[in-house]
Amino acid sequence: MTVPALGPVDATVVAPRPGRRLRSVRLGTARYFLRRLGFYAVAAALAITLNFLIPRLMPGDPASALIAQMQQKQTLSGDQVHAIYRLFGTPGEPLWDQYVTYLNQVLHFNFGISVAYYPTPVWEVIRTGLPWTVGLVGLTSVLSFVLGTAAGVVSGSRVGSRFDSFMTPASMFMGSLPFFWVALILVLVFGVQLSWLPTSGGYDGDMLPGFNGPFLASVLQHGILPALTMVMASVGGWLVGMRNMMVTTVSEDYVLLARAKGLSKARVMFQYAARNAVLPSVAGFALTIGTVVSGQLLVEIVFAYPGVGYLLYQAVSSVDYPLMQALFLIVSLSVLAANFVADSVYGLIDPRARETRS
Amino acid sequence: MSALVRRELSLRRLKLPPNPKVRVGIAIFVFFALLALLGPFVVQNVMGLSPSDVDTSQAMELPSAKHLLGTTATGEDVFAQLVVGSRISLLVGLVAGVITTTLSVLVGVAGGYLGGRADSFLTAATNVCLVIPGMPLLIIVASYVQGRGGWLTVALVIGLTAWPWGARQKRAQTLSLRHRDFVSAAEMTGESRWGVITRELIPSLAPIISVSFLGAVVGSMFADAGLSFMGLGNINITSWGSMLYWAQNGAALTRGAWWWFVPPGACIALIGVAAGLINFGIDEISNPRLRKPSKEVRARARAARLHAAAGGSAAEATAGKPAPVQEAAS
């Protein structure tokens, strides 16, 4: 039977002197961020490498097929042909050399030319879609987190109340539905049957994009249904998670004490119980970003919303490998960056997270 | 939570947990399993319907006695498609679920049990794979594969990308078992590491593994439907996902043909709800505080409150009976 050995770490933390303590806390924080940064750097390297390996591991020779396909539309210059080989694999060249040239391409945002939007460079195409997706994902994930968590506080502070008996099963039900099917139903109800809201595109097709009132109003109007879908699909998870944590927290002694002191109900719930119960939800926030983005790709297709998901759909349906690969890379790297930010916020608000070794 | 779940779901006494949510969830799963197993035979051979017979004279018909769920834009029978399609959708879910669960058990349990460097490596690998978004990866791999290998390839790709969530969960559970007496006893009798993992740890984790297997099946069905909806994977085989794809392509939405795309989505959604019910019910079994107090308990609590308000002490009113847990919270 093994007894867990006490590491030297435990010996050093015994009775820190007050002056040193602050410095060691700061050092600990720095170490936490560095470690997270290192972790996400590894993840990013893996994403880039996957992106490199997938076309090369596939049967056949995607590069030559792609060149043949593009030659049908227009003759390619020698440079363009080379760029495609560098991105999708040169038959015969050692894999390591290919990897180096590929990395060089990626570093310069040179992802080749799109087939679907020929002859626009892939990076230009992606740049038009990125703001739509980032805006929608950012808005909806924060909105559903705030709404779901607030509802979870109310629900969990009194299990079996009328609010709880309705909201918890309802949101669980919503969360179990496939995102894109919910989108289809919303289009049918609000777009086709009631024709209250536009069901496709990011703004009115007759307008020129710009920072003016009518255009922004149109963007908002077009965003309502996609945003509603995303919030409906993800609010339930937050509600149930927060509710279950609240249930445990409200029976803690410090909550009882706060109540005994005669503090108002709202203050006890939000300032005492919820502040502690919310930590696991915040910790989980980073991990859900990827799921939300994945779900949104499909929702964008239903609404023909001009974001990254719709571009990916265009790329898939016209077998546009350069666009597809670049989108995978950009989406993965953005999700990783968002994860890092969410993790850092968590590290700032919960000191315990900085101490655990992962 | 693990101890209780283990007791409630113990494989040794194959008894359904008393929680109604879990029962309803399991009933839904059994219904769809039977549908996938027997449905296609009944529909095609007994009722004489075909999921693929094109009949343009009967296109886009509303549900009627002849076509229970109406027809598609090319006059195919939606009901027949729905029943026949259930088999492929469930099969993809099952195969991908088995792959996901196997990988997650191997990685999670091995990491949690072995500890040290092996664990650090496996945990890091799990976490890295966890943060890379799955759907875009699935989409590009599926589009290179271009339908080669049919539904099996789709299931394989889903299974190979979906394991990290489960691995994390199983590692955490293994850590809680790692130093239990039965593990030490097995180690002392000279059981090999692999033997401890397969003969001691995995059987004790069986209830958790079976619940996460259900989750993996449902997740894979969602992923399959999403892929087919984008036109990737198996759009020429009848499945719920390919029905949604053809409905979207046939402008079912703008023509208001709800009977075409609502049923397949509703089936997928129903299975999702069943998994949700089971998860929720198991949470309730393992943590009684999450349960809505029973009528009797609530009545007793109300009586106690009234009694206390009338000047008596609450403890007196509930003396001799177990204290109602919920009242601490309200």
Side-chain angles (χ1 to χ4, degrees):
Chain A
M1 193 172 156
T2 51
V3 177
L6 287 178
V9 190
D10 300 78
T12 54
V13 289
V14 172
R17 268 178 290 164
R20 276 202 184 163
R21 209 171 147 196
L22 194 67
R23 220 172 68 203
S24 78
V25 166
R26 276 201 196 127
L27 262 175
T29 312
R31 210 174 321 136
Y32 169 77
F33 285 113
L34 275 178
R35 222 172 26 222
R36 295 320 291 162
L37 199 62
F39 170 75
Y40 285 109
V42 171
L46 183 73
I48 293 173
T49 312
L50 265 179
N51 198 43
F52 165 78
L53 283 177
I54 287 169
R56 285 165 178 81
L57 289 177
M58 290 300 150
D61 175 9
S64 303
L66 190 65
I67 290 167
Q69 184 196 354
M70 286 172 94
Q71 297 277 26
Q72 287 172 357
K73 292 198 180 178
Q74 205 166 337
T75 47
L76 295 169
S77 71
D79 265 3
Q80 289 169 333
V81 172
H82 275 296
I84 292 170
Y85 275 124
R86 279 201 292 270
L87 287 166
F88 294 93
T90 321
E93 204 187 334
L95 214 55
W96 179 250
D97 293 348
Q98 290 190 36
Y99 192 47
V100 173
T101 41
Y102 161 83
L103 285 181
N104 194 26
Q105 293 272 95
V106 170
L107 269 180
H108 292 97
F109 292 100
N110 184 355
F111 298 112
I113 290 172
S114 163
V115 178
Y117 299 89
Y118 194 84
T120 321
V122 164
W123 178 236
E124 293 287 316
V125 177
I126 294 180
R127 254 191 3 205
T128 61
L130 217 48
W132 294 98
T133 300
V134 171
L136 197 59
V137 168
L139 186 76
T140 54
S141 46
V142 170
L143 201 63
S144 47
F145 178 79
V146 171
L147 285 178
T149 308
V153 171
V154 178
S155 214
S157 59
R158 204 167 160 216
V159 173
S161 66
R162 210 169 286 164
F163 182 82
D164 177 49
S165 321
F166 174 73
M167 282 306 282
T168 308
S171 62
M172 193 211 74
F173 174 76
M174 296 288 228
S176 319
L177 306 177
F179 280 41
F180 68 98
W181 184 68
V182 174
L184 289 172
I185 303 283
L186 287 181
V187 169
L188 180 76
V189 175
F190 292 103
V192 179
Q193 306 283 8
L194 300 171
S195 35
W196 284 354
L197 289 164
T199 55
S200 78
Y203 54 89
D204 213 326
D206 309 334
M207 291 186 186
L208 278 174
F211 266 103
N212 51 52
F215 178 73
L216 291 180
S218 165
V219 167
L220 258 174
Q221 210 185 12
H222 282 76
I224 291 176
L225 282 184
L228 185 66
T229 313
M230 302 296 298
V231 171
M232 272 171 64
S234 49
V235 80
W238 297 122
L239 190 152
V240 173
M242 188 64 189
R243 171 186 185 264
N244 292 0
M245 266 315 283
M246 272 302 277
V247 168
T248 317
T249 315
V250 284
S251 51
E252 295 280 347
D253 289 345
Y254 61 83
V255 177
L256 188 65
L257 176 69
R259 209 181 296 130
K261 282 197 282 189
L263 298 177
S264 75
K265 235 180 179 169
R267 185 145 181 220
V268 174
M269 279 310 131
F270 285 92
Q271 297 268 304
Y272 285 73
R275 268 179 77 175
N276 289 290
V278 81
L279 290 173
S281 290
V282 177
F285 190 76
L287 286 177
T288 59
I289 296 172
T291 326
V292 171
V293 171
S294 296
Q296 184 172 325
L297 298 180
L298 291 167
V299 172
E300 280 184 10
I301 297 170
V302 175
F303 291 104
Y305 199 75
V308 167
Y310 191 61
L311 287 179
L312 191 57
Y313 179 60
Q314 298 294 333
V316 165
S317 37
S318 51
V319 206
D320 184 350
Y321 289 133
L323 184 56
M324 219 182 320
Q325 296 269 179
L327 280 170
F328 168 69
L329 197 63
I330 299 293
V331 169
S332 306
L333 295 182
S334 315
V335 167
L336 292 179
N339 269 308
F340 177 66
V341 172
D343 259 7
S344 306
V345 170
Y346 182 59
L348 284 178
I349 63 170
D350 188 358
R352 284 170 302 180
R354 299 196 292 261
E355 283 161 17
T356 52
R357 319 182 134 250
S358 61
Chain B
M1 86 160 227
S2 59
L4 269 158
V5 176
R6 215 166 24 246
R7 215 185 62 212
E8 294 289 347
L9 279 176
S10 169
L11 288 180
R12 256 163 274 149
R13 353 173 260 164
L14 260 176
K15 207 176 79 180
L16 279 180
N19 186 295
K21 291 195 176 86
V22 176
R23 290 193 168 175
V24 172
I26 290 177
I28 295 176
F29 269 108
V30 170
F31 169 75
F32 278 106
L34 288 177
L35 184 75
L37 210 61
L38 308 173
F41 173 78
V42 173
V43 164
Q44 285 168 316
N45 300 19
V46 180
M47 295 167 74
L49 294 169
S50 159
S52 52
D53 271 1
V54 172
D55 181 2
T56 37
S57 64
Q58 298 187 344
M60 283 289 195
E61 272 185 19
L62 275 160
S64 63
K66 192 167 171 234
H67 299 289
L68 285 177
L69 289 171
T71 57
T72 69
T74 46
E76 297 145 315
D77 188 88
V78 175
F79 177 71
Q81 287 194 334
L82 189 72
V83 175
V84 173
S86 68
R87 188 174 277 182
I88 291 291
S89 293
L90 250 72
L91 213 54
V92 172
L94 275 179
V95 173
V98 168
I99 299 171
T100 306
T101 312
T102 312
L103 280 175
S104 66
V105 167
L106 285 180
V107 172
V109 176
Y113 174 64
L114 296 175
R117 278 218 192 122
D119 182 35
S120 309
F121 174 75
L122 289 175
T123 308
T126 307
N127 286 340
V128 165
C129 294
L130 195 61
V131 288
I132 291 179
M135 197 67 198
L137 184 61
L138 263 181
I139 290 171
I140 60 164
V141 174
S143 64
Y144 276 112
V145 174
Q146 286 195 329
R148 275 181 290 235
W151 62 268
L152 199 61
T153 324
V154 176
L156 206 70
V157 176
I158 296 175
L160 290 176
T161 50
W163 58 270
W165 276 109
R168 218 166 118 108
Q169 177 205 18
K170 269 142 226 154
R171 176 178 172 268
Q173 295 296 336
T174 309
L175 284 180
S176 75
L177 295 180
R178 172 79 193 79
H179 294 293
R180 297 274 178 89
D181 289 344
F182 70 96
V183 177
S184 310
E187 280 168 351
M188 282 200 243
T189 54
E191 187 75 275
S192 67
R193 284 170 172 184
W194 178 245
V196 173
I197 290 176
T198 52
R199 275 191 284 274
E200 303 294 335
L201 292 172
I202 292 181
S204 333
L205 291 171
I208 290 162
I209 294 173
S210 52
V211 170
S212 79
F213 171 68
L214 277 188
V217 169
V218 174
S220 309
M221 290 181 65
F222 276 36
D224 174 52
L227 280 182
S228 305
F229 178 67
M230 285 187 78
L232 293 164
N234 45 11
I235 47 166
N236 292 319
I237 317 170
T238 306
S239 75
W240 293 339
S242 70
M243 286 175 76
L244 289 169
Y245 170 79
W246 292 114
Q248 168 89 344
N249 261 26
L253 267 180
T254 43
R255 290 153 90 172
W258 53 268
W259 59 88
W260 192 358
F261 67 87
V262 171
C267 287
I268 300 170
L270 204 57
I271 290 181
V273 169
L277 281 173
I278 292 177
N279 265 332
F280 205 69
I282 284 183
D283 276 351
E284 284 186 354
I285 291 170
S286 56
N287 184 355
R289 281 190 189 135
L290 300 176
R291 247 177 272 165
K292 188 177 175 172
S294 70
K295 263 195 189 135
E296 191 201 338
V297 171
R298 271 179 290 160
R300 213 189 298 149
R302 207 175 309 123
R305 251 200 317 268
L306 287 178
H307 187 76
S313 81
E316 214 174 280
T318 53
K321 295 169 190 166
V325 181
Q326 276 319 306
E327 281 314 287
S330 59

